[in-house]
Amino acid sequence: MLGNQMKQLFLQTIFIYTLTMTLAFGQTVIIEGRTRVIDGDTIKIEKSRIRLHGIDAPENKQLCKDKKLSYWLCGQAATKALRKKINNRVVECFSDKKDRYKRHIAICSVNGVNLNRWLVINGWAVAYRKYSKDYIEAETAAKSIEKGIWTGEFILPWEWRRGKRLKQ
C-alpha cells in the first residue's frame, strides 16, 4: 500500500513538474514568411507581430547626432536598414514567448543571417541587457568601429521612451 502511494506521489510530482516547465518555457514556435518592417526591432509576418529578442533599436521619431553634431533620424535609419537587409525575402523567426503587448519575442534570420545580431553589429540597435546578454559583444564591436548610431551621440532607446532627449 505504501509503495503504491509513493508511486502515485512520484507520478503526480513528475506531472506537475512537466506542466510547470511547459507553462514556464512554452514551446518554440516557428514563424516564417514575407515580412513587413514596423521599426528597427519589430516586424510583422502575416498576423504575427514579432519583437526581436535581446535588442533595442532607436524609435522611429528618435534623433541622434553625428560627429559634426548634426541631428539625424536614427530610428528611421534603423528601420530602413532592416528593411533593406530583408529585401522582401522570407524571414524565419523562432519564438518561445510573448511580451505584454502579445508580440512574439524571437530570434529571426534571413538567408541564415541572424537579424538581431546583424542590427547590433552594424550599429542600428543596442544589446537590451535588461532581457538578454546575447548581443553585448556585437554591441562592443559596433561601438569600437563607430558604426550606425555609434558615429556620434544618442540616447539609449529605453531612456528615450521615458522622455530623455539629447541636449540642444
Side-chain angles (χ1 to χ4, degrees):
M1 177 95 172
L2 188 58
N4 283 339
Q5 287 177 334
M6 291 297 286
K7 187 175 181 180
Q8 186 74 19
L9 182 61
F10 177 75
L11 290 173
Q12 287 174 346
T13 304
I14 294 296
F15 173 77
I16 291 169
Y17 175 78
T18 304
L19 180 62
T20 303
M21 297 310 280
T22 301
L23 291 174
F25 298 107
Q27 291 184 336
T28 300
V29 176
I30 301 170
I31 306 162
E32 184 175 41
R34 300 276 179 217
T35 303
R36 186 170 142 243
V37 175
I38 306 299
D39 60 27
D41 55 30
T42 308
I43 61 175
K44 190 171 186 179
I45 298 176
E46 294 179 14
K47 293 183 180 187
S48 297
R49 287 179 64 87
I50 301 160
R51 175 70 158 81
L52 300 178
H53 161 77
I55 71 169
D56 202 6
E59 298 299 319
N60 273 326
K61 294 183 179 182
Q62 188 169 343
L63 293 173
C64 296
K65 285 184 185 177
D66 63 18
K67 285 183 181 180
K68 296 177 183 176
L69 302 180
S70 296
Y71 288 97
W72 60 290
L73 289 164
C74 53
Q76 288 183 16
T79 301
K80 186 177 178 181
L82 180 57
R83 196 172 283 133
K84 185 176 178 182
K85 181 65 177 173
I86 292 171
N87 194 27
N88 207 31
R89 294 177 288 183
V90 171
V91 173
E92 182 179 51
C93 298
F94 294 87
S95 172
D96 63 356
K97 61 186 164 222
K98 289 186 178 184
D99 66 9
R100 65 182 179 197
Y101 305 109
K102 297 187 174 137
R103 297 177 297 186
H104 289 275
I105 304 299
I107 297 172
C108 299
S109 63
V110 64
N111 283 0
V113 175
N114 178 327
L115 292 171
N116 309 45
R117 185 176 189 287
W118 182 87
L119 283 159
V120 176
I121 205 159
N122 284 284
W124 299 119
V126 294
Y128 207 170
R129 289 166 173 80
K130 180 178 178 180
Y131 298 103
S132 171
K133 308 248 184 286
D134 293 348
Y135 303 105
I136 293 172
E137 286 181 29
E139 180 185 292
T140 302
K143 187 177 182 180
S144 72
I145 57 174
E146 299 179 348
K147 291 202 71 165
I149 57 178
W150 297 104
T151 60
E153 296 177 45
F154 68 95
I155 301 295
L156 291 167
W158 54 87
E159 292 178 356
W160 192 89
R161 286 191 294 275
R162 282 188 260 137
K164 187 173 179 180
R165 300 295 186 262
L166 288 171
K167 291 182 180 150
Q168 298 281 354

